[in-house]
Amino acid sequence: MTTTENRTPDRTDSPWDGVLGEHWAARHREFDAMVGGVDDALFEAAAIAPGDRVLDVGCGAGATTRAAALLAAPGHAVGVDISAPLLARARKNTAAEGVQGVAYVRGDAQTHRFEPGGYDVVISRGGVMFFADHVAAFANIGRALRPGGRIVFVCPRRPGTDTEESQVLGRFARILEEGAEPVRPDPAVVAAHTAMASLSEPHLIHGALHRTFTEIAVNPVDLHTRWGETPADAVEFLLSRTPDRHVPAATRAALEDTLCPYATARGVRTRAGVWLVTAVRRGDGAAV
Ligand SMILES: C[S@@+](CC[C@H](N)C(=O)[O-])C[C@H]1O[C@@H](n2cnc3c(N)ncnc32)[C@H](O)[C@@H]1O
């Protein structure tokens, strides 16, 4: 398996390479459980076959990279991510699980020099919303695919006040605002959270992809987000984003009460929605 030399500086100014990545790396099990509800849809659409060469963009701690490698064997999967802390966690998890045919590359997927045409399939579980220039990023990612190769990714739909998840998180935020000391948000983290929604409408996805990809399909997938085993676990997980914030016991109790209606035998879960996007790399040289 060939992976391009890492040209990324030791530290980038992406919050994923700092506080956000460190948080995801420390809490990788909870985050995998939180977003894992999309995996069936993602992998069914990706239809990875034995021998495929797979690129996982914004691979984080690499759960989907490893799943892809198992499906692709005797092919392989490469995870690319800008976050040093998350890639360190991905490598540890890969060694612990003993998965073969996996490699990780640190880089900004918008500019990283991938091996041209080196992949049959690109996948991403929520790792493609953070680019400075989406058109340039998808053109660069397209160059990594052979002509006719496919990209399959999931990204958040626009959070509306009508979705269960938005309502619950909205109530959660209001209780915190009223019952805990205020926090000074880190502007880089706020920008990353804003970027989460950068592909939240079909026209934004088509606009980002159409230069490089054809047969673009954007379909809604409804799923559950899992926040923890119990309401107390879920509160602890949600508050771990701001570990220095003092949250009084009465406020914690109110937060738990908010989540109690969503406690199930499969953990605390709220209904949410993502876009499942599939597209095929143009064969006419447009992406090259
Ligand atoms: C929402 S997390 C998803 C992580 C992983 N795909 C998962 O499902 O657990 C977004 C990921 O995208 C990565 N990322 C953000 N900007 C990136 C960029 N420009 N190039 C490569 N990866 C990036 C982050 O470091 C992070 O791992």
Side-chain angles (χ1 to χ4, degrees), residues 13-29:
D13 59 6
S14 167
W16 288 105
D17 203 22
V19 61
L20 269 185
E22 281 155 14
H23 183 224
W24 273 65
R27 297 286 184 149
H28 63 104
R29 284 194 192 81

PDB file of all heavy atoms in Angstrom, residues 13-29:
ATOM      1  N   ASP A  13      -3.405  25.072  12.494  1.00  0.00           N
ATOM      2  CA  ASP A  13      -4.275  25.891  13.342  1.00  0.00           C
ATOM      3  C   ASP A  13      -5.705  25.355  13.372  1.00  0.00           C
ATOM      4  O   ASP A  13      -6.604  25.994  13.906  1.00  0.00           O
ATOM      5  CB  ASP A  13      -4.218  27.369  12.930  1.00  0.00           C
ATOM      6  CG  ASP A  13      -4.630  27.567  11.489  1.00  0.00           C
ATOM      7  OD1 ASP A  13      -5.063  26.578  10.856  1.00  0.00           O
ATOM      8  OD2 ASP A  13      -4.518  28.704  11.002  1.00  0.00           O
ATOM      9  N   SER A  14      -5.926  24.148  12.805  1.00  0.00           N
ATOM     10  CA  SER A  14      -7.261  23.553  12.882  1.00  0.00           C
ATOM     11  C   SER A  14      -7.544  23.130  14.324  1.00  0.00           C
ATOM     12  O   SER A  14      -6.709  22.482  14.958  1.00  0.00           O
ATOM     13  CB  SER A  14      -7.340  22.319  11.976  1.00  0.00           C
ATOM     14  OG  SER A  14      -8.518  21.589  12.275  1.00  0.00           O
ATOM     15  N   PRO A  15      -8.743  23.467  14.851  1.00  0.00           N
ATOM     16  CA  PRO A  15      -9.063  23.008  16.212  1.00  0.00           C
ATOM     17  C   PRO A  15      -9.109  21.489  16.300  1.00  0.00           C
ATOM     18  O   PRO A  15      -8.971  20.917  17.376  1.00  0.00           O
ATOM     19  CB  PRO A  15     -10.432  23.646  16.488  1.00  0.00           C
ATOM     20  CG  PRO A  15     -11.004  23.943  15.149  1.00  0.00           C
ATOM     21  CD  PRO A  15      -9.851  24.229  14.237  1.00  0.00           C
ATOM     22  N   TRP A  16      -9.286  20.814  15.130  1.00  0.00           N
ATOM     23  CA  TRP A  16      -9.255  19.352  15.128  1.00  0.00           C
ATOM     24  C   TRP A  16      -7.854  18.844  15.458  1.00  0.00           C
ATOM     25  O   TRP A  16      -7.684  17.726  15.937  1.00  0.00           O
ATOM     26  CB  TRP A  16      -9.697  18.809  13.771  1.00  0.00           C
ATOM     27  CG  TRP A  16     -11.158  18.986  13.557  1.00  0.00           C
ATOM     28  CD1 TRP A  16     -11.779  19.893  12.750  1.00  0.00           C
ATOM     29  CD2 TRP A  16     -12.217  18.238  14.191  1.00  0.00           C
ATOM     30  NE1 TRP A  16     -13.144  19.761  12.845  1.00  0.00           N
ATOM     31  CE2 TRP A  16     -13.429  18.753  13.714  1.00  0.00           C
ATOM     32  CE3 TRP A  16     -12.234  17.201  15.121  1.00  0.00           C
ATOM     33  CZ2 TRP A  16     -14.662  18.246  14.134  1.00  0.00           C
ATOM     34  CZ3 TRP A  16     -13.461  16.697  15.537  1.00  0.00           C
ATOM     35  CH2 TRP A  16     -14.658  17.214  15.040  1.00  0.00           C
ATOM     36  N   ASP A  17      -6.868  19.669  15.199  1.00  0.00           N
ATOM     37  CA  ASP A  17      -5.492  19.299  15.505  1.00  0.00           C
ATOM     38  C   ASP A  17      -5.139  19.719  16.934  1.00  0.00           C
ATOM     39  O   ASP A  17      -4.001  19.552  17.365  1.00  0.00           O
ATOM     40  CB  ASP A  17      -4.561  19.998  14.503  1.00  0.00           C
ATOM     41  CG  ASP A  17      -3.234  19.287  14.357  1.00  0.00           C
ATOM     42  OD1 ASP A  17      -3.164  18.083  14.676  1.00  0.00           O
ATOM     43  OD2 ASP A  17      -2.275  19.942  13.922  1.00  0.00           O
ATOM     44  N   GLY A  18      -6.132  20.288  17.629  1.00  0.00           N
ATOM     45  CA  GLY A  18      -5.929  20.758  18.997  1.00  0.00           C
ATOM     46  C   GLY A  18      -7.051  20.261  19.884  1.00  0.00           C
ATOM     47  O   GLY A  18      -7.320  19.059  19.969  1.00  0.00           O
ATOM     48  N   VAL A  19      -7.776  21.217  20.462  1.00  0.00           N
ATOM     49  CA  VAL A  19      -8.700  20.886  21.547  1.00  0.00           C
ATOM     50  C   VAL A  19      -9.823  19.935  21.096  1.00  0.00           C
ATOM     51  O   VAL A  19     -10.176  18.987  21.818  1.00  0.00           O
ATOM     52  CB  VAL A  19      -9.245  22.200  22.169  1.00  0.00           C
ATOM     53  CG1 VAL A  19     -10.004  23.031  21.161  1.00  0.00           C
ATOM     54  CG2 VAL A  19     -10.093  21.931  23.377  1.00  0.00           C
ATOM     55  N   LEU A  20     -10.352  20.136  19.890  1.00  0.00           N
ATOM     56  CA  LEU A  20     -11.445  19.256  19.442  1.00  0.00           C
ATOM     57  C   LEU A  20     -10.950  17.838  19.201  1.00  0.00           C
ATOM     58  O   LEU A  20     -11.598  16.858  19.588  1.00  0.00           O
ATOM     59  CB  LEU A  20     -12.040  19.788  18.126  1.00  0.00           C
ATOM     60  CG  LEU A  20     -13.210  20.744  18.194  1.00  0.00           C
ATOM     61  CD1 LEU A  20     -13.705  21.048  16.780  1.00  0.00           C
ATOM     62  CD2 LEU A  20     -14.343  20.151  19.026  1.00  0.00           C
ATOM     63  N   GLY A  21      -9.792  17.729  18.532  1.00  0.00           N
ATOM     64  CA  GLY A  21      -9.238  16.405  18.242  1.00  0.00           C
ATOM     65  C   GLY A  21      -8.857  15.667  19.516  1.00  0.00           C
ATOM     66  O   GLY A  21      -9.064  14.455  19.637  1.00  0.00           O
ATOM     67  N   GLU A  22      -8.328  16.425  20.483  1.00  0.00           N
ATOM     68  CA  GLU A  22      -7.948  15.797  21.752  1.00  0.00           C
ATOM     69  C   GLU A  22      -9.189  15.264  22.467  1.00  0.00           C
ATOM     70  O   GLU A  22      -9.181  14.174  23.039  1.00  0.00           O
ATOM     71  CB  GLU A  22      -7.207  16.806  22.643  1.00  0.00           C
ATOM     72  CG  GLU A  22      -5.764  16.974  22.218  1.00  0.00           C
ATOM     73  CD  GLU A  22      -5.161  18.309  22.618  1.00  0.00           C
ATOM     74  OE1 GLU A  22      -5.772  19.014  23.451  1.00  0.00           O
ATOM     75  OE2 GLU A  22      -4.092  18.651  22.076  1.00  0.00           O
ATOM     76  N   HIS A  23     -10.271  16.042  22.392  1.00  0.00           N
ATOM     77  CA  HIS A  23     -11.513  15.598  23.035  1.00  0.00           C
ATOM     78  C   HIS A  23     -12.060  14.342  22.351  1.00  0.00           C
ATOM     79  O   HIS A  23     -12.418  13.365  23.011  1.00  0.00           O
ATOM     80  CB  HIS A  23     -12.532  16.745  23.001  1.00  0.00           C
ATOM     81  CG  HIS A  23     -13.814  16.431  23.696  1.00  0.00           C
ATOM     82  ND1 HIS A  23     -15.039  16.739  23.167  1.00  0.00           N
ATOM     83  CD2 HIS A  23     -14.071  15.801  24.877  1.00  0.00           C
ATOM     84  CE1 HIS A  23     -15.994  16.328  23.988  1.00  0.00           C
ATOM     85  NE2 HIS A  23     -15.432  15.763  25.036  1.00  0.00           N
ATOM     86  N   TRP A  24     -12.109  14.374  21.003  1.00  0.00           N
ATOM     87  CA  TRP A  24     -12.609  13.186  20.273  1.00  0.00           C
ATOM     88  C   TRP A  24     -11.721  11.972  20.535  1.00  0.00           C
ATOM     89  O   TRP A  24     -12.205  10.846  20.661  1.00  0.00           O
ATOM     90  CB  TRP A  24     -12.690  13.470  18.763  1.00  0.00           C
ATOM     91  CG  TRP A  24     -13.982  14.100  18.349  1.00  0.00           C
ATOM     92  CD1 TRP A  24     -14.429  15.328  18.712  1.00  0.00           C
ATOM     93  CD2 TRP A  24     -14.999  13.538  17.496  1.00  0.00           C
ATOM     94  NE1 TRP A  24     -15.655  15.571  18.131  1.00  0.00           N
ATOM     95  CE2 TRP A  24     -16.025  14.493  17.385  1.00  0.00           C
ATOM     96  CE3 TRP A  24     -15.123  12.333  16.810  1.00  0.00           C
ATOM     97  CZ2 TRP A  24     -17.176  14.279  16.626  1.00  0.00           C
ATOM     98  CZ3 TRP A  24     -16.273  12.110  16.047  1.00  0.00           C
ATOM     99  CH2 TRP A  24     -17.283  13.075  15.959  1.00  0.00           C
ATOM    100  N   ALA A  25     -10.413  12.206  20.614  1.00  0.00           N
ATOM    101  CA  ALA A  25      -9.495  11.068  20.827  1.00  0.00           C
ATOM    102  C   ALA A  25      -9.707  10.468  22.219  1.00  0.00           C
ATOM    103  O   ALA A  25      -9.753   9.250  22.387  1.00  0.00           O
ATOM    104  CB  ALA A  25      -8.046  11.526  20.657  1.00  0.00           C
ATOM    105  N   ALA A  26      -9.862  11.348  23.230  1.00  0.00           N
ATOM    106  CA  ALA A  26     -10.048  10.852  24.595  1.00  0.00           C
ATOM    107  C   ALA A  26     -11.384  10.129  24.738  1.00  0.00           C
ATOM    108  O   ALA A  26     -11.512   9.210  25.543  1.00  0.00           O
ATOM    109  CB  ALA A  26      -9.967  12.018  25.577  1.00  0.00           C
ATOM    110  N   ARG A  27     -12.378  10.568  23.962  1.00  0.00           N
ATOM    111  CA  ARG A  27     -13.740  10.034  24.080  1.00  0.00           C
ATOM    112  C   ARG A  27     -14.122   9.219  22.857  1.00  0.00           C
ATOM    113  O   ARG A  27     -15.286   9.193  22.478  1.00  0.00           O
ATOM    114  CB  ARG A  27     -14.714  11.206  24.243  1.00  0.00           C
ATOM    115  CG  ARG A  27     -14.491  12.027  25.510  1.00  0.00           C
ATOM    116  CD  ARG A  27     -14.998  11.235  26.682  1.00  0.00           C
ATOM    117  NE  ARG A  27     -14.901  11.971  27.917  1.00  0.00           N
ATOM    118  CZ  ARG A  27     -15.764  11.808  28.937  1.00  0.00           C
ATOM    119  NH1 ARG A  27     -16.763  10.981  28.825  1.00  0.00           N
ATOM    120  NH2 ARG A  27     -15.589  12.465  30.047  1.00  0.00           N
ATOM    121  N   HIS A  28     -13.145   8.579  22.217  1.00  0.00           N
ATOM    122  CA  HIS A  28     -13.426   7.957  20.914  1.00  0.00           C
ATOM    123  C   HIS A  28     -14.535   6.920  20.996  1.00  0.00           C
ATOM    124  O   HIS A  28     -15.326   6.768  20.067  1.00  0.00           O
ATOM    125  CB  HIS A  28     -12.146   7.365  20.312  1.00  0.00           C
ATOM    126  CG  HIS A  28     -11.534   6.268  21.118  1.00  0.00           C
ATOM    127  ND1 HIS A  28     -11.657   4.938  20.755  1.00  0.00           N
ATOM    128  CD2 HIS A  28     -10.828   6.289  22.258  1.00  0.00           C
ATOM    129  CE1 HIS A  28     -11.031   4.204  21.659  1.00  0.00           C
ATOM    130  NE2 HIS A  28     -10.514   4.986  22.562  1.00  0.00           N
ATOM    131  N   ARG A  29     -14.633   6.205  22.117  1.00  0.00           N
ATOM    132  CA  ARG A  29     -15.684   5.176  22.220  1.00  0.00           C
ATOM    133  C   ARG A  29     -17.065   5.830  22.202  1.00  0.00           C
ATOM    134  O   ARG A  29     -17.974   5.385  21.506  1.00  0.00           O
ATOM    135  CB  ARG A  29     -15.525   4.364  23.499  1.00  0.00           C
ATOM    136  CG  ARG A  29     -14.399   3.368  23.394  1.00  0.00           C
ATOM    137  CD  ARG A  29     -14.412   2.321  24.490  1.00  0.00           C
ATOM    138  NE  ARG A  29     -13.148   1.612  24.445  1.00  0.00           N
ATOM    139  CZ  ARG A  29     -12.008   2.048  24.975  1.00  0.00           C
ATOM    140  NH1 ARG A  29     -11.980   3.201  25.612  1.00  0.00           N
ATOM    141  NH2 ARG A  29     -10.897   1.360  24.876  1.00  0.00           N
TER     142      ARG A  29
END
